[in-house]
Amino acid sequence: MSELRYDGRVAVVTGAGHGLGRQHALELAARGAKVVVNDLGGDRTGSGASSGPAQQVVDEIVKNGGEAVANPDNVATVEGAEAIVRTALDAFGKVDIVVNNAGILRDKSFKNMTPEEFDAVIAVHLRGSFLVSSAAWSHLRDQGFGRIVNTSSPAGLFGNFGQANYATAKMGLVGFTKTLAHEGAKYGIKANAIAPVAWTRMTEDLLPADFAGALGVDRVTPLVAYLAHEDNQASGEVYTVGGGRIARIIVAEGPGWVQKDGFDVEDVAANWEQINAQDPFTVPGNVGDQMLPLIQALQ
Ligand code: NAD
């Protein structure tokens, strides 16, 4: 297979000063993309700020012969998100690829989670992905091409103790991604999400130390790069990726139980097994698809 290249493409990668985002930026740049390396430069909880991490990644890209510019703005503010996209326009004249990757953790059991801890995590992951995509959207639409890769998480898709804030944001990104896929379809914009697992500062005390090597960030980035490539025709999908494995994650619906003359609570109890049946399942592509079995049953 011929090498997949990004010559002539401009990519924005948020949170690219460390971990996964850094690897995404290095890889896209090594394959010819011009890259905006965004990073606020705070700690794992989002406290503090520094232009150092983004600049270090830019220096590395330039040393390797690539093109990149640093941006230290906050994805969670309107001004920050607009400045990130403006950095791409000013330096490279356009934007083609948006990788929403920036993230923080404020883990706490639900009993102890404060509204501030909830809001802070939603702001970076969910609002930040919205704001940066929003700032880029009209440019992607006008040029009839765009690739957006959002960063979800298995913790959001399946739930995880101590992460009500993070899981809410990460599952929210699934609905966000699917909606952008619908709205971007006629403008050549493909939006997808990844649910990665990798050894980074975010996870180094959560994952078994033995797995550090096997869970390298380089085992996530190839999927992100593929989803960002013009060859990729998938849109509205979510893929789990890490440690050398990639799998599509689906939002599926079971066959259900229908009683079109109405039912009472005892009927629900009596039919609980069929209501919970998983086979045969369907994977609706949109809300219309999801309504079809009901409409057919009512006809
Ligand atoms: P990381 O901490 O190494 O990287 C996150 C980066 O985002 C940091 O460089 C940080 O400075 C930056 N950042 C944080 N807030 C920002 C803001 N407001 N504006 C701009 N930049 C900001 O962690 P990572 O593991 O590389 O995480 C990258 C993404 O992958 C995150 O969205 C994370 O939730 C997601 N994720 C990671 C894993 C994993 O196993 N590592 C699993 C699931 C999801």
Side-chain angles (χ1 to χ4, degrees), residues 14-21 38-42 44 73-76 101-104 124-125 151-154 166 170 195-203 207:
T14 70
H18 297 103
L20 287 164
N38 157 262
D39 205 285
L40 184 59
R44 192 170 84 161
D73 285 302
N74 185 349
V75 297
N101 165 82
I104 61 168
V124 176
H125 294 270
T151 308
S152 181
S153 169
Y166 185 79
K170 293 306 198 184
V197 58
W199 184 270
T200 67
R201 71 175 190 174
M202 191 179 269
T203 52
L207 294 170

Coordinates of all heavy atoms in Angstrom, one line a residue, residues 14-21 38-42 44 73-76 101-104 124-125 151-154 166 170 195-203 207, ligand 1:
T14 N -5.3 19.7 19.5 CA -5.4 20.3 20.8 C -4.8 19.4 21.9 O -4.8 18.2 21.7 CB -6.9 20.7 21.2 OG1 -7.6 19.5 21.5 CG2 -7.6 21.5 20.1
G15 N -4.3 20.0 22.9 CA -3.6 19.3 24.0 C -2.4 18.5 23.4 O -2.2 17.3 23.9
A16 N -1.7 19.1 22.5 CA -0.6 18.3 21.8 C 0.7 18.5 22.5 O 1.8 18.1 21.9 CB -0.6 18.7 20.4
G17 N 0.8 19.0 23.7 CA 2.1 19.2 24.4 C 2.6 18.0 25.0 O 3.8 17.9 25.4
H18 N 1.7 17.0 25.3 CA 2.1 15.8 26.0 C 1.3 14.6 25.4 O 0.4 14.8 24.6 CB 1.7 15.8 27.5 CG 2.4 16.9 28.3 ND1 1.7 18.0 28.7 CD2 3.6 16.9 28.8 CE1 2.6 18.8 29.4 NE2 3.7 18.1 29.5
G19 N 1.7 13.4 25.8 CA 0.9 12.2 25.6 C 0.4 12.0 24.2 O 1.1 12.1 23.2
L20 N -0.9 11.6 24.1 CA -1.5 11.3 22.8 C -1.4 12.4 21.8 O -1.1 12.2 20.6 CB -2.9 10.8 23.0 CG -3.1 9.4 23.7 CD1 -4.5 9.3 24.2 CD2 -2.7 8.3 22.7
G21 N -1.8 13.6 22.2 CA -1.8 14.7 21.3 C -0.5 15.0 20.7 O -0.3 15.3 19.5
N38 N -1.5 22.9 19.8 CA -2.1 23.7 20.9 C -1.8 23.0 22.2 O -2.0 21.7 22.3 CB -3.6 23.8 20.6 CG -4.3 24.0 21.9 OD1 -4.9 23.1 22.6 ND2 -4.3 25.3 22.4
D39 N -1.5 23.7 23.2 CA -1.5 23.1 24.6 C -1.4 24.3 25.6 O -0.6 25.2 25.5 CB -0.3 22.2 24.8 CG -0.6 21.2 25.9 OD1 -0.6 21.6 27.1 OD2 -0.9 20.0 25.6
L40 N -2.3 24.2 26.6 CA -2.4 25.2 27.6 C -1.2 25.0 28.6 O -0.8 26.0 29.3 CB -3.7 25.0 28.4 CG -4.1 26.0 29.5 CD1 -4.1 27.4 28.9 CD2 -5.4 25.7 30.1
G41 N -0.7 23.8 28.7 CA 0.5 23.6 29.5 C 0.3 23.5 31.0 O 1.2 23.7 31.8
G42 N -0.9 23.1 31.4 CA -1.2 23.0 32.8 C -0.9 21.6 33.3 O -0.3 20.7 32.5
R44 N -2.2 17.8 35.2 CA -3.2 16.8 34.8 C -4.6 17.2 35.2 O -5.6 16.8 34.6 CB -2.8 15.5 35.5 CG -3.6 14.3 35.0 CD -3.0 13.0 35.6 NE -3.5 12.7 36.9 CZ -3.4 11.5 37.4 NH1 -2.9 10.5 36.8 NH2 -3.9 11.3 38.6
D73 N -3.3 28.5 23.9 CA -4.6 29.0 24.3 C -5.4 27.8 24.9 O -5.2 26.7 24.7 CB -5.4 29.7 23.2 CG -4.8 31.0 22.9 OD1 -4.8 31.9 23.9 OD2 -4.3 31.3 21.8
N74 N -6.5 28.3 25.6 CA -7.4 27.4 26.4 C -8.5 27.0 25.4 O -9.3 27.8 25.0 CB -7.9 28.1 27.6 CG -8.7 27.2 28.5 OD1 -9.1 26.1 28.1 ND2 -9.0 27.7 29.7
V75 N -8.7 25.7 25.2 CA -9.8 25.2 24.3 C -11.2 25.5 24.9 O -12.2 25.6 24.2 CB -9.7 23.7 24.0 CG1 -8.5 23.3 23.3 CG2 -9.9 22.9 25.3
A76 N -11.2 25.7 26.2 CA -12.5 25.8 26.9 C -13.1 27.2 26.8 O -14.2 27.4 27.4 CB -12.4 25.4 28.3
N101 N -8.3 16.8 21.3 CA -7.7 15.8 22.2 C -7.4 16.3 23.6 O -7.3 15.5 24.5 CB -6.3 15.4 21.5 CG -5.4 14.7 22.5 OD1 -5.5 13.5 22.7 ND2 -4.4 15.5 23.1
A102 N -7.4 17.7 23.8 CA -7.1 18.2 25.1 C -8.0 17.6 26.2 O -9.2 17.5 26.0 CB -7.3 19.7 25.1
G103 N -7.4 17.4 27.3 CA -8.2 16.8 28.4 C -7.5 16.9 29.8 O -6.3 17.1 29.9
I104 N -8.4 16.9 30.8 CA -8.0 16.9 32.2 C -8.7 15.9 33.0 O -9.8 15.4 32.5 CB -8.2 18.3 32.8 CG1 -9.6 18.7 32.8 CG2 -7.3 19.4 32.1 CD1 -10.0 19.9 33.7
V124 N -13.4 21.4 29.5 CA -12.3 21.1 28.6 C -12.6 20.1 27.5 O -12.4 20.3 26.3 CB -11.0 20.7 29.4 CG1 -9.9 20.3 28.5 CG2 -10.6 21.7 30.4
H125 N -13.2 19.0 27.9 CA -13.4 17.9 27.0 C -14.6 18.2 26.0 O -14.4 18.1 24.8 CB -13.7 16.6 27.7 CG -12.6 16.1 28.5 ND1 -11.7 15.2 28.0 CD2 -12.2 16.3 29.8 CE1 -10.8 14.9 29.0 NE2 -11.1 15.6 30.1
T151 N -12.0 12.9 20.9 CA -11.4 11.9 21.8 C -12.4 11.6 22.9 O -12.5 12.4 23.8 CB -10.1 12.4 22.4 OG1 -9.2 12.9 21.3 CG2 -9.3 11.3 23.1
S152 N -13.0 10.5 22.7 CA -13.9 9.9 23.8 C -13.1 9.1 24.7 O -11.9 9.2 24.8 CB -15.1 9.2 23.1 OG -16.0 8.7 24.1
S153 N -13.8 8.1 25.4 CA -13.1 7.2 26.3 C -13.9 6.0 26.6 O -15.2 6.2 26.8 CB -12.7 8.0 27.6 OG -12.3 7.1 28.6
P154 N -13.3 4.9 26.8 CA -14.1 3.8 27.3 C -14.8 4.1 28.6 O -15.9 3.6 28.9 CB -13.0 2.7 27.6 CG -11.9 3.0 26.6 CD -11.9 4.5 26.6
Y166 N -16.1 13.1 33.9 CA -15.4 12.7 32.7 C -16.2 11.8 31.8 O -16.2 12.0 30.6 CB -14.1 11.9 33.2 CG -13.1 11.5 32.2 CD1 -12.2 12.4 31.6 CD2 -13.1 10.2 31.7 CE1 -11.3 12.0 30.7 CE2 -12.1 9.8 30.8 CZ -11.2 10.7 30.3 OH -10.3 10.2 29.4
K170 N -17.3 12.5 27.9 CA -16.8 11.6 26.9 C -18.0 10.9 26.2 O -17.9 10.6 25.0 CB -15.9 10.5 27.5 CG -14.6 11.1 28.0 CD -13.8 11.9 26.9 CE -12.4 12.1 27.3 NZ -11.7 12.9 26.3
A195 N -11.9 6.0 21.3 CA -11.9 5.8 22.7 C -10.6 5.0 23.0 O -10.6 3.8 23.0 CB -13.1 4.9 23.1
P196 N -9.5 5.8 23.3 CA -8.2 5.2 23.4 C -7.9 4.6 24.8 O -8.5 4.9 25.8 CB -7.3 6.4 23.1 CG -8.0 7.5 23.7 CD -9.5 7.2 23.5
V197 N -6.8 3.8 24.8 CA -6.1 3.5 26.1 C -4.6 3.6 25.8 O -4.2 3.0 24.8 CB -6.6 2.1 26.6 CG1 -6.3 1.0 25.7 CG2 -5.9 1.9 28.0
A198 N -3.9 4.4 26.6 CA -2.5 4.5 26.4 C -1.8 5.0 27.7 O -2.5 5.6 28.6 CB -2.3 5.6 25.3
W199 N -0.6 4.7 27.8 CA 0.2 5.0 28.9 C 0.7 6.5 28.8 O 1.5 6.8 28.0 CB 1.4 4.1 29.0 CG 2.2 4.3 30.2 CD1 3.3 5.1 30.4 CD2 2.1 3.6 31.5 NE1 3.8 5.0 31.6 CE2 3.1 4.1 32.4 CE3 1.2 2.7 32.0 CZ2 3.2 3.7 33.7 CZ3 1.3 2.2 33.3 CH2 2.3 2.8 34.1
T200 N 0.1 7.4 29.6 CA 0.4 8.8 29.6 C 0.4 9.3 31.0 O 0.1 8.6 31.9 CB -0.6 9.7 28.8 OG1 -1.8 9.7 29.5 CG2 -0.8 9.1 27.3
R201 N 0.7 10.6 31.2 CA 0.7 11.1 32.5 C -0.7 11.0 33.1 O -0.9 11.1 34.3 CB 1.2 12.6 32.6 CG 0.2 13.6 31.9 CD 0.7 15.0 32.1 NE -0.3 15.9 31.7 CZ -0.3 17.2 31.8 NH1 0.8 17.8 32.3 NH2 -1.3 18.0 31.4
M202 N -1.7 11.0 32.2 CA -3.1 10.9 32.7 C -3.5 9.5 33.3 O -4.3 9.4 34.1 CB -4.1 11.2 31.5 CG -5.5 11.4 31.9 SD -6.6 11.8 30.5 CE -6.5 13.6 30.5
T203 N -2.7 8.5 32.8 CA -3.1 7.1 33.2 C -2.0 6.4 33.9 O -2.2 5.2 34.3 CB -3.5 6.3 32.0 OG1 -2.4 6.5 31.0 CG2 -4.8 6.8 31.4
L207 N -3.1 2.6 35.2 CA -2.9 1.4 34.5 C -1.7 0.6 35.1 O -0.8 1.1 35.7 CB -2.5 1.7 33.0 CG -3.6 2.4 32.2 CD1 -3.0 2.9 30.9 CD2 -4.7 1.5 31.9
Ligands
NAD1 P1 -2.1 14.1 28.8 O1 -2.4 14.7 30.1 O2 -0.8 13.6 28.5 O3 -2.5 15.2 27.6 C1 -3.6 16.1 27.7 C2 -3.1 17.4 27.2 O4 -4.2 18.3 27.1 C3 -2.0 18.0 28.1 O5 -0.8 18.3 27.4 C4 -2.7 19.3 28.7 O6 -1.8 20.3 28.9 C5 -3.7 19.6 27.6 N1 -4.8 20.4 28.0 C6 -5.5 20.2 29.1 N2 -6.4 21.2 29.3 C7 -6.3 22.0 28.2 C8 -7.0 23.2 27.7 N3 -8.0 23.7 28.4 N4 -6.6 23.7 26.5 C9 -5.6 23.2 25.8 N5 -4.9 22.1 26.2 C10 -5.2 21.5 27.4 O7 -3.2 13.0 28.6 P2 -3.5 12.0 27.4 O8 -3.7 10.6 28.0 O9 -2.6 12.2 26.3 O10 -5.0 12.4 27.0 C11 -5.3 12.9 25.7 C12 -6.8 12.7 25.5 O11 -7.1 11.3 25.5 C13 -7.7 13.3 26.6 O12 -8.8 13.8 26.0 C14 -8.0 12.1 27.4 O13 -9.2 12.2 28.1 C15 -8.1 11.0 26.3 N6 -8.0 9.7 26.8 C16 -6.8 9.2 27.2 C17 -6.8 7.8 27.6 C18 -5.5 7.2 28.0 O14 -5.5 6.0 28.3 N7 -4.4 7.9 28.1 C19 -7.9 7.0 27.7 C20 -9.1 7.6 27.3 C21 -9.2 8.9 26.8

